Every structure is written in structure tokens, then in C-alpha cells.
Amino acid sequence: MSKKNALVRLTAIQNHISNQPKPTGPTDLTRERENATFNVKHMNWLFWGDKEFAEALQDAFLIIQRDPNLCFPAGHHFDLTRPEQREFTMKQIFRYRQLRESLKNPLLIKALETAMSIYSESFMMRTYVHDILFLQSFQVFGTKEQYDSYIDDILKWKVIGCFAMTELGHGSFLRGLETTATYDSKTDEFIIHSPTLTATKVWIGMAGQTATHTIALCQTIVNGKMYGVNWFIVQLRDQKNGRLLTGVTAGDMGEKYGRNGLDNGWIQFSHVRIPRTNMLMRWAKVTQEGKYIPSANPTISYSTLIGERLTVLPGAVSTFGQILTIACRYGCVRKQGANDEQIMDYQSHYVRLMPCVASTYIIEIVNRMIMNKWQEIMKLVQTNQEEFASYLPDMHAISTGLKATVTWWGCEVLERVRRSLGGHAYSSYNAIAGAIGDWGVVTTGKKIIGSAEFMNNFQQIRSITKSTLSDEGQLLDLNYTLEMYTWLSSSTTDEETTWHNNQVYAVKLGELYSYRFTLSEYMKAIEEYSSSKTSEFKALVPILTKLGNLWAIHLIHDSLGLFLERGYFNGEQVQMIRKCYLELCKEIRKECIPLVDSWGYPDFVLKAPLGKFDGDVYPAYFNIMRAAPDCIGVPSYWEKYIKPLTNS
Amino acid sequence: MSKKNALVRLTAIQNHISNQPKPTGPTDLTRERENATFNVKHMNWLFWGDKEFAEALQDAFLIIQRDPNLCFPAGHHFDLTRPEQREFTMKQIFRYRQLRESLKNPLLIKALETAMSIYSESFMMRTYVHDILFLQSFQVFGTKEQYDSYIDDILKWKVIGCFAMTELGHGSFLRGLETTATYDSKTDEFIIHSPTLTATKVWIGMAGQTATHTIALCQTIVNGKMYGVNWFIVQLRDQKNGRLLTGVTAGDMGEKYGRNGLDNGWIQFSHVRIPRTNMLMRWAKVTQEGKYIPSANPTISYSTLIGERLTVLPGAVSTFGQILTIACRYGCVRKQGANDEQIMDYQSHYVRLMPCVASTYIIEIVNRMIMNKWQEIMKLVQTNQEEFASYLPDMHAISTGLKATVTWWGCEVLERVRRSLGGHAYSSYNAIAGAIGDWGVVTTGKKIIGSAEFMNNFQQIRSITKSTLSDEGQLLDLNYTLEMYTWLSSSTTDEETTWHNNQVYAVKLGELYSYRFTLSEYMKAIEEYSSSKTSEFKALVPILTKLGNLWAIHLIHDSLGLFLERGYFNGEQVQMIRKCYLELCKEIRKECIPLVDSWGYPDFVLKAPLGKFDGDVYPAYFNIMRAAPDCIGVPSYWEKYIKPLTNS
């Protein structure tokens, strides 16, 4: 049946159902919106930083929605095949690059980049690989000459880059990598080589189909001696025709669990010769005579990983924000039980979702603070290398801990949202399934342990042995709850902190540190808003504080076992915490629709009919199913495999 | 590039890599296999019930592997599009039905059904919908005449059935369903009607493309009065040509998160007339004169759901068994760190996986016990309806609790396995991503609360207030640990057990009951094996006990917070439990390869190169990526979207 016929028939069906009652969803959401104790528009400004950027972002969304080269085919983004997804994402990038040229307003350009990254995970990943991983390698590891000779081509995407680190046999343990860069002083060249199958670079974003160049991490061999890993520029494909260069074998990794618009690839090098000057030599160097000059600060090799880890934060906010908007709206529209209650009014429902909503605010605000700090530090690369290096251990610890903790919490958020949608989460047309797939790649294989850097200044708190909690009101003081958390994260026994004896509890400890960090940073932000000159933001402090309280109590509630084991709380205090936790969830639940509205994700970005702003969810959901390819009609295999049975 | 060329080139690449060291995987697994303290072949018999069935199952796997109508296209099952998956699954069913006719051995037929269900989730679901949900409705709800008039056609798949319960606006809350069956005494017919859009039946397996008939759950209206829900036989499609009958609109639900070989569909009825005798009338009845005779025991309406819920257990075993085989083999082959340690030797790795391995044994053994019991009860439908009804409340409670608990634990198992594979879990070619998608539909939206039936006989245990644990050895006595668990599940306060006051903790309580139940049933099984006449099984009691101990301590360890809160354990006892838990994990880890080998899943069933029996995983993994469609070559969109950038 043609698409047009399908629509005609659809309308007929809809008219045919005579007794159609008025949908209650819109009324429900209108009522929920009246519960707001704060100004949603002002919260939208705060969430995106300021009024100007928040408005530019809405403009950017409009540009996307109206541009067929940016906007996915209506409703059926999830029906695209893998090759179609790969192509569509590159089409988006191409169009986005055209628009960058024509748009004059730098704020709008920035907003468009953000909006596209929110709209498409695969767009975000492909541009991230080139614009951040590849480009920053030149900034951080390249000499001034190296940077200058490539930067124009990189900015124009004349050179398209990827970042080749992980290998088939080796993940994040860099010292174990097998790819070699052997210096040949006769020709002043390095020979890049994959000596074994397990040395194959794998999971390299954009290496599958797009990248013309890569930055490859290789074991450096000079005069037969191994000097550890360094970064090398290697061209992969001819910029004229896209063909692989001699000695380079690279391909696409095929079907993945998510992000199928990103061409993850594998690369094998077979004695590829590159000029010596293709080694990025800002820190370690190899001279023409074959002398290896090591880096003064070897930890710098890992510094691009800090930025890479931190990007998990905006990624989390974008994912959480979208799926929680869907879950909260649907939860307020969906009815269940004898009295047709909104499912969001079930305690078991809102207690699972409200801490997720709170965490989205906390993570976004903390994210902005850390990103600003990291950008300041990055500027030092060009001006004060020693100071730059001095910040690295701390940022290394923070970024490692946050990445692990936020990705784990992300799995929890996705799972909670998935369950909150019941069976409908299972349909690809409600975006949740896709979000779970996309998130999959973010999670690290193992939890990573936070650095002991966090342990400073906790000494006086360690001397406390019992909680002084005696009144529920104390739990609404963020300084008070933070102290509880500080106590817990510093109260572990020596045995528990020792990596080899007890990895399991050490992992838990790392998580505690990172959560404590988010809480203390968030408190600093609230303090700033409290004394802000923008009265719109000042007025939001009460609701922001309430969100912080919920996050704090949620964290304590989640670790009650550890508190009890160490004798900090007694049973009565635990009951108090439980009660306060449930009450805070109930309070936030009242404003859950205004809180998700404030993020301002348009319906077309959410891609989920059940999360529609107007609450009229069922016709939208049905229409999208109804328009799925081959929805109605005798299936092509009827004659072969069904008819012989039913006509036997 | 043609497939043949790709293979030629592949071989060239492999030869080209001159320095290829001998893979260590095979040696690693050989060494692991020498650690077995038990006979793997005998454990294989025990796991599948007995020697005869275990051997028939291996024969059945061989039949599948050698039959191109049953076996997926080599290696690339995951590259099939949605329409291809839908078709292939029906092809498998068609071929399977042919084989049933030709195979003479009933044990082999049963084994083939089991093997196909293990091999393909979508095959399992499609046959399950027809052979169990649809057929059992006739057995349980149909009169003898109704059963007799349909059974031959059902067994031959001349009638292909589905089971239409859930609606767009209503999930498992059956009283809220909107589809109506209105009796018209003038014509002695029921009129089946979907009065609203939200009344659309959705998620109905096989309704999308295959089913000719459905059993529909409808509100029964007689003489203008609603009498509650009953089951009605409604024909959907013409058996001759597969076309929808007048008044029936039904379609496929399109793209899903998993199980894309199953045609989930939606159905709308527009005043469809069926004979009065199409109401399944074993219990409730409507006479020709329009008199409604209610069922003597209305809970019987829900009894098919018991069987439906219980099938989660074999499904869990099949999923857990396959993905844990992959995870354990890969964990013993993969190396990491400065000393090239097997990642399975990291405590944080094996502590996450070993409880999952233990749980697979426990769930399979408990599953067999419950299934036997349920089959005995089902026989009573025909012989002693009163006794049948008397078993239902208990089975209702057990099946509800187990379904919720096992599906939740299943999410945990999948997540642990996913992480244990690191980035490689993200490739569709390692089966884990697909398993996660398939599992998604199993999970219920909310945790369901176990019935208070479990609460009997716990009174004397409630009087205990402190644990008597003083020696680690006590923890290896299953009776002793079971008692701890019993104490915890009966120690909750009244407030906590009240549904409306505190749903969150009530949910936790239901979970405790169900886990306690698995443990006590498993102990019965061990007792039976201990006194078994089969000496092969008797010899397995020590390892089975160790697995039971690990499961028991894992459950206690998981609920330490609750034990502490109620003052049952002191800090010292908790340390003892933690120590014992880690030690048990370490002991089971030593035998993890023999333990997963015992399940006997062939490589082609696992569909994951990283889980290969021989441990030579990397070439297999690379070959499968290398053979992915369009793996190498300039992408089709190069000219349009890349070249204009790189040649700018």
C-alpha cells in the first residue's frame, strides 16, 4: 500500500471510531503546569547559562526542524537502515558546515552546534572525534609548526581526522598497545606497523568510512629501543578519491548496539612510512640523529583523555533531559487502576524518577563549572606549560571519577525511565530504546577508582563517630548533608582502600568521592546564584536548593548500608532519612512537569510521541506505528511459509 | 567488492602479518578446564534433566546447524533487516513443523523444540504465542466442545492463533480494558468492538502478520449490563489468502528494541460479529436467552497468566547461560595490565560474574521443579476443577514474585556481562547487545509485590532479634543462611508492608520472599540428588552445594543494609559475611570454565566469536567484522558529502 493510501485509510479508521472521548492528556498537563512555584522561562535561561544562549538555542532548533538536510525523515528516524544512518549523519555534517559559513552570528553558530549534538548522537560523535579529539591533539601534543601547518585544513574539514588509540587486544591500558613506530634514521622516517592481529586499532570513530587522517598512538622504537607511546599523524585515505593509501587497511565495524550513524572502524598498518616530523613533538622528541628526548612530564600524554572524559557530562545531561521529559509527561498522562489515577501519583513511580530529574540539574550546573575551569587550564598549554602540567593530576582524578560515576548513574536513569514507560519503551518509536543503545558505548568496562586526591582535608571529620541528626529539618541543610557524605567517604578502613586486597569496596569508595564532589560544587553554584545580580536567577534559588536536597538525601539513602555498618546512624535516624527522602520526592513530583519543561526540548527533538508537550499522546503514537513501512498488508512471505500451513 | 574477493583479500592480509604470535587463548582455556573438581559431562546431564535428554539436545543442535532453513546465515544474523528477520523466523517455524512430521523419536522432537527456542528468541516467542498462550486458552477456558472443535487445526497450525489482552491505554490492569463484547440475542451473536483509540489491542505477538485467529479479552455486555472480562475467539485473517476480515484492522508495530523476528501487532475491532459460542465458556457462561452465569471462581480467568509468568524462568536460563558462557570464556582469554593478567583474575571482575553463574544453576533447577508441579496442576483442569482452583492463589503468588524478581535480576546479569566485555559488547556481532534488546520486553514495568502467602510459618523466626553468627563455617550451611533470609523477609514492620503507605519498601519485601523461595526449593533439590540412585548426580552434590552457598551469601550480602537497620548483624558479623562472599566467588571462579562448559551451548548457538569454545577468539571476531556488508571501500556518499569538503 502506498503511503498516501495508508494515510487515507488511517483517517477513515479514525473517523470510523465514533465514540472517541476527548483525550484527557492535555488537561492533565495543563493542570500540572499550574503547580509551578518558579518561572519556567527563567529556569530555561539558567539551565542553558543565560537568556541569550537559551534563545539562540530555540532559534537553532527551528533551523534544524525546517531544514530537510538536518532534520530526520518525519517520525521514522528509527526505521533507517545502517547505511542510511551512516549517510544521513554525514549529510547533516555537510549541511551544518555550509550553514556555519553563512550564519554571521557566532552565538547562533555555537547554539546550532549544541542543538545538533542534542538532536543527533551520531552527529555529536562524528564532529566530536574531529573537532575535539583530533584537533586538540595538535593543540596539546603538536609543536607550533605542526599546529600551524594543519589547523586551516582541519577547521575546513579538508583534512578529516580520527583518533586511533584502542586495539583489538588492548583497551585503555596504554602501555600494552602493540602498534609500533620505528625510526629509520637513513630516510628520517617512522615506520608505522601493526605487528599482530591484536594490534589492529578498533572502535576508531570515523575510521570506518570518513577519516582521511588519524592520530595514532604507537610504541616508539628508536635504535631498537622502546621508549613508550607517542602520537603520530598518519594519512589513511586519499583526499581526492577516498581510497585507502598503500599499507593502510581500514574498514567499518558494521552493526552496533547504537549510534549507527557513526562509522566506527578498524585500522591495520603495514610498514607505513611517515616523515619523522609527523610525530607530535611538543613534549617528547626524536631528533634526526635518532636521539629520544623524553617529555618532562609524561602524564601530559594522557591529558586529551581528560577532555574526552569530561564530555560524558553534557552527553549525560542531553540524554537524561530528553528521556526524563518523555517519562514525566507520559507519567502524568497515563492512567491506571480502579480510580484511573495518574501513574505519576504512585509512590513507587515518582520515587524512582524524581532523583533522576534532580540529578540532571545538578550535573548540568556542575558540568558548566568544570568545563569553564578546564578551558582556562587548556589556554595554559600555549602560555605556561609548567602550570598547565600542575593542574593535570587533579583534573585527571576528577574527570576519571566523574566519568565512571555519571555513566553508571546513567544506566540507572535509563533503566528507571524504561520501566516507567512499561511495554511502550520497547517500541523503537519512543526513543528510549535508541537512547539505551547510544548510552551503551559511554559506559566504561569497569568502574574506575577515584584518586586519593579527594582525600585531603577530611581528617577532622574522620574523628566523628556518630551522626548528630535529631531533627528532620537538619536534612534540608545542604552543608549538613554534605558533611555526612564527607564522613562516609573518609571513614573506610585501610583494608578497604587497598586496591589489590579489596577492589570491590575500593570501587564503591571512588563513587562516593565523585558524588561528594558534585554536591559540593553544586553548593558553590547555589551560593553564586544567591548573590547574583540577575534577579531572575536569585528567585530560582529555593527550587534549586530543593533539588540539591533531594540529590543529597538520595545519595545518603543509597549508601545507608555503609553508614549503618560503620555505626554512624541508628535505626531512628534511618527512619528519619527515609521519611525525608519520600517527602522530598513527593514535593518535587508536584513540579515535575514545569521542571522538565524548563529544559525546553522541542517535540521533534524528543522523537517520542509519548513525550509530546501537549499531552495528546495516543493518536500521535498510533499514527507513527501506523505509518511504519509494511505496517498493514499480507506479508511477502505469506505464500511460502504461512499459506501451506493454513491451507493444509 | 564481492564476498569472494573479500575473503581472498582477508587471507592476504592475514598472511601479510608475518610476526603473528601463537594465540594464547586456547592454552588458557585448556588450563582452566583442568581445574574442574567435577565431571563436566555428568553436570551437563544433570543440568538438562537426564542423560537421554542432554544427548538428544546435542543431536538437535546438530540438526539445526546443518539445515539452512533453520540455521541463520553464517555469522551475520545481526545484519538482517527487520523484514528479513520476520521472514526468516517464519521460515524456521515452517521447516520445524515439517521436521516434526518426519522425526519419529518424541524425545528428539522435544529436544529440537528446546534447541530452537534456545537458538532463536523470536522463534521461541512466535511458537510460544501459538502453542502455549493460544492453545492453553482452549484447554483452560474452553468447553470440551470448543476444545475438540479447534484442537486439530491448532496442532497443525491450520489455525494460527494469538492472544489479545493489552490495549494502547491499558496494560496489565485488566478491569480497565475497553474492548467490548456485546451480546445480541436476536442473532445469538457477540459484537466485538474497540470503542476508542486507546482500546486498540497492542503488543499482540503474531497479530502483526501471521495470526488467523485471536483469543481476545473483552468486557462482556449482556442486556446493557457489564459483567467483567471474558475470552472470545475472533477470526482475524482469511486462512486462504491472509487478508484481514471485514471489521478487523490489524497491523505490524514496526521496529522494536529486540526480537524483530516476532511480528508484534495491533488490532482494532469495528462491530465484528461472532457466534455466541465463540465465548470460551468453561467457567462463565452466557445462555442463548441472554443470561449471564458467572464463574464459580473468578480468579481462574487469570490462570493462563501463571504459565505465562513461569516461562520467564527457562527464558532466563537460556539467556544467562549463553551470555555467561561468552563472558567467562572471554574473561579467561583476555589479558590486561602490566603482567598480562587474565581479566577474570581481577577481583572486581569475578565477583560480578560468579553470582550470575551460580544463579543460572539455581534458577534452572528450581524452574524444573515448579514446571513439573504446574503441569501436574494443569492436568486437574479436565479432572477436578475444584482442586485445580484451590492451587491457583499459591501459584499466582509464586509466579508473580518469581517473574518480577528474575526479570530484575536478569537486567543485572545482562549489565554485568555487558561491562565484562568492555567495548566489544557494543558490537552487534558479540550477541550481548541483541540479548539485552530481547530481554527488554520481558521486564515488567514495575516490580510486582509477592503475596503474603509466603508469610506463613515464619512466626517463631520473628521472635529472634540478633544473629547467632560467630564462625565463618556457619555461612556454608544452607539451612543456616536460609534462616537468616527468612528472618529478614518476615522482620519488616507493619508500616512497611502496607501497600499504600510505603510502596517502595513493599516492593523490596516481595523480592525478598521470592529469593527466599528459590533458595528453599534449591535445597530440596540438593537433598534429592544426595539420595539419588544415579551415582553420577550424587557426585555433583559438593559443587552444587557450593553454588547454593554463593547464591545464599550473595542474597544476604545484597541486603546487608536491611539486616543492619534491623539490628540483626553487628559490624563484625558483616565483615565475616563479606569475607566469606569474596572467598566463595574466588573458589567458583577457579571452576568457571567447567561450569559454563557444562551447559553445552555450541559456538553457533552463542553467535559470539569472543565466546568460542577453543578460546581462539580474535581471528574469529576480526573475520566476522571483516565480512560485514560494505566493510571496506569508498562509501556510497563520498561524492556527495565528503569529497566537497576534502577537495575544497
Side-chain angles (χ1 to χ4, degrees), chain B residues 227-261:
Chain B
Y227 286 96
V229 293
N230 281 289
W231 299 101
F232 298 84
I233 310 165
V234 190
Q235 183 163 358
L236 303 175
R237 294 183 172 88
D238 189 318
Q239 285 159 281
K240 286 216 175 53
N241 57 29
R243 299 229 177 111
L244 292 169
L245 297 193
T246 312
V248 175
T249 319
D252 191 288
M253 290 186 73
E255 191 72 17
K256 286 168 299 177
Y257 188 35
R259 291 182 178 169
N260 273 309

Side-chain angles (χ1 to χ4, degrees), chain A residues 59-274:
Chain A
D59 287 345
F61 281 134
L62 211 63
I63 291 175
I64 297 170
Q65 191 174 12
R66 293 175 179 180
D67 188 325
N69 291 306
L70 295 177
C71 196
F72 290 113
H76 284 276
H77 156 229
F78 302 109
D79 288 311
L80 294 177
T81 62
R82 178 173 86 225
E84 285 166 353
Q85 286 187 59
R86 296 271 205 278
E87 170 161 355
F88 200 89
T89 306
M90 195 61 215
K91 178 161 89 172
Q92 288 174 319
I93 292 173
F94 184 67
R95 178 63 183 150
Y96 163 74
R97 301 222 46 90
Q98 286 183 325
L99 283 172
R100 277 182 74 100
E101 301 295 314
S102 64
L103 293 172
K104 302 290 173 227
N105 177 350
L107 191 69
L108 188 55
I109 292 174
K110 192 177 162 226
L112 185 60
E113 191 190 350
T114 305
M116 275 304 298
S117 297
I118 290 169
Y119 180 56
S120 162
E121 277 271 325
S122 289
F123 173 95
M124 187 266 281
M125 284 307 299
R126 264 189 166 172
T127 52
Y128 164 73
V129 165
H130 177 87
D131 293 339
I132 309 284
L133 286 181
F134 185 69
L135 189 148
Q136 281 195 355
S137 300
F138 283 87
Q139 286 178 330
V140 177
F141 304 133
T143 60
K144 190 170 180 317
E145 300 74 49
Q146 289 174 322
Y147 180 81
D148 288 345
S149 73
Y150 276 89
I151 187 64
D152 286 346
D153 286 354
I154 294 175
L155 290 177
K156 281 200 286 189
W157 282 57
K158 202 169 156 160
V159 156
I160 303 179
C162 63
F163 187 81
M165 188 173 79
T166 43
E167 299 178 354
L168 185 56
H170 312 272
S172 48
F173 181 72
L174 303 189
R175 275 180 293 159
L177 295 178
E178 294 182 79
T179 307
T180 52
T182 309
Y183 181 59
D184 178 356
S185 60
K186 284 195 237 56
T187 58
D188 200 24
E189 288 171 325
F190 277 104
I191 303 159
I192 309 294
H193 187 58
S194 315
T196 64
L197 182 66
T198 46
T200 306
K201 298 282 182 190
V202 290
W203 293 111
I204 314 306
M206 299 247 281
Q209 303 184 317
T210 326
T212 60
H213 289 65
T214 191
I215 295 288
L217 194 59
C218 308
Q219 300 288 355
T220 316
I221 301 175
V222 184
N223 291 327
K225 202 178 153 194
M226 282 256 221
Y227 287 96
V229 293
N230 281 287
W231 298 101
F232 298 84
I233 311 164
V234 190
Q235 183 161 359
L236 302 175
R237 293 181 172 89
D238 190 316
Q239 285 159 281
K240 288 219 170 53
N241 56 29
R243 300 231 177 110
L244 292 170
L245 297 193
T246 310
V248 174
T249 318
D252 191 288
M253 290 185 75
E255 191 72 17
K256 286 169 298 177
Y257 188 36
R259 290 182 178 170
N260 273 311
L262 168 67
D263 53 325
N264 284 95
W266 52 268
I267 312 172
Q268 293 169 332
F269 302 103
S270 306
H271 305 292
V272 177
R273 286 180 167 268
I274 58 170

Side-chain angles (χ1 to χ4, degrees), chain B residues 554-568:
Chain B
H554 163 78
L555 296 177
I556 290 167
H557 183 263
D558 241 31
S559 296
L560 276 180
L562 287 174
F563 278 112
L564 282 158
E565 190 179 334
R566 286 158 178 70
Y568 187 71

Side-chain angles (χ1 to χ4, degrees), chain A residues 564 569-576, chain B residues 565:
Chain A
L564 281 158
F569 290 134
N570 58 40
E572 209 177 310
Q573 289 169 326
V574 167
Q575 292 294 332
M576 211 178 276
Chain B
E565 190 179 334

Side-chain angles (χ1 to χ4, degrees), chain B residues 314-333:
Chain B
V317 172
S318 169
T319 302
F320 296 7
Q322 294 183 60
I323 65 174
L324 286 165
T325 302
I326 299 163
C328 287
R329 289 185 187 152
Y330 179 67
C332 289
V333 162

Side-chain angles (χ1 to χ4, degrees), chain A residues 422-438:
Chain A
H424 296 315
Y426 194 54
S427 167
S428 295
Y429 307 130
N430 280 311
I432 307 299
I436 292 173
D438 290 344

Side-chain angles (χ1 to χ4, degrees), chain B residues 183-385:
Chain B
Y183 182 58
D184 179 355
S185 60
K186 282 197 238 50
T187 56
D188 199 23
E189 288 172 323
F190 278 103
I191 303 160
I192 309 295
H193 188 57
S194 316
T196 64
L197 181 66
T198 45
T200 306
K201 297 283 181 189
V202 290
W203 293 113
I204 315 305
M206 298 246 281
Q209 303 184 318
T210 326
T212 61
H213 289 66
T214 192
I215 295 288
L217 194 59
C218 307
Q219 300 287 355
T220 315
I221 302 175
V222 183
N223 292 325
K225 202 178 155 197
M226 281 255 222
Y227 286 96
V229 293
N230 281 289
W231 299 101
F232 298 84
I233 310 165
V234 190
Q235 183 163 358
L236 303 175
R237 294 183 172 88
D238 189 318
Q239 285 159 281
K240 286 216 175 53
N241 57 29
R243 299 229 177 111
L244 292 169
L245 297 193
T246 312
V248 175
T249 319
D252 191 288
M253 290 186 73
E255 191 72 17
K256 286 168 299 177
Y257 188 35
R259 291 182 178 169
N260 273 309
L262 169 68
D263 53 324
N264 283 95
W266 50 270
I267 312 170
Q268 292 169 334
F269 302 104
S270 306
H271 306 293
V272 176
R273 287 181 167 265
I274 58 171
R276 177 181 56 87
T277 51
N278 274 22
M279 172 174 153
L280 291 179
M281 294 213 219
R282 173 185 284 273
W283 312 95
K285 294 175 181 60
V286 172
T287 67
Q288 192 171 349
E289 300 77 39
K291 191 167 175 314
Y292 186 88
I293 304 162
S295 167
N297 187 338
T299 59
I300 285 177
S301 322
Y302 300 88
S303 67
T304 46
L305 296 182
I306 294 174
E308 186 266 326
R309 291 192 204 107
L310 289 178
T311 52
V312 83
L313 299 177
V317 172
S318 169
T319 302
F320 296 7
Q322 294 183 60
I323 65 174
L324 286 165
T325 302
I326 299 163
C328 287
R329 289 185 187 152
Y330 179 67
C332 289
V333 162
R334 178 78 173 186
K335 305 295 169 62
Q336 196 173 289
N339 303 321
D340 246 9
E341 273 182 285
Q342 290 169 285
I343 57 174
M344 190 57 96
D345 281 334
Y346 283 82
Q347 191 194 54
S348 55
H349 203 85
Y350 66 75
V351 166
R352 293 190 72 71
L353 291 178
M354 292 310 116
C356 306
V357 171
S359 76
T360 308
Y361 278 92
I362 278 92
I363 294 171
E364 169 56 24
I365 286 167
V366 171
N367 161 48
R368 208 151 51 222
M369 295 167 77
I370 300 179
M371 282 300 181
N372 289 342
K373 189 175 171 187
W374 180 234
Q375 275 162 16
E376 289 303 311
I377 294 172
M378 280 291 286
K379 285 182 194 156
L380 294 170
V381 178
Q382 313 298 336
T383 57
N384 186 340
Q385 299 181 3

Side-chain angles (χ1 to χ4, degrees), chain B residues 478-515:
Chain B
L478 273 173
N479 283 300
Y480 189 80
T481 47
L482 179 68
E483 202 171 285
M484 290 181 172
Y485 219 70
T486 309
W487 181 87
L488 183 61
S489 32
S490 58
S491 76
T492 43
T493 63
D494 287 343
E495 195 201 342
E496 283 167 355
T497 50
T498 313
W499 164 251
H500 271 293
N501 284 358
N502 209 329
Q503 294 171 8
V504 174
Y505 302 106
V507 164
K508 178 75 194 163
L509 193 65
E511 193 180 276
L512 291 177
Y513 287 147
S514 299
Y515 279 137

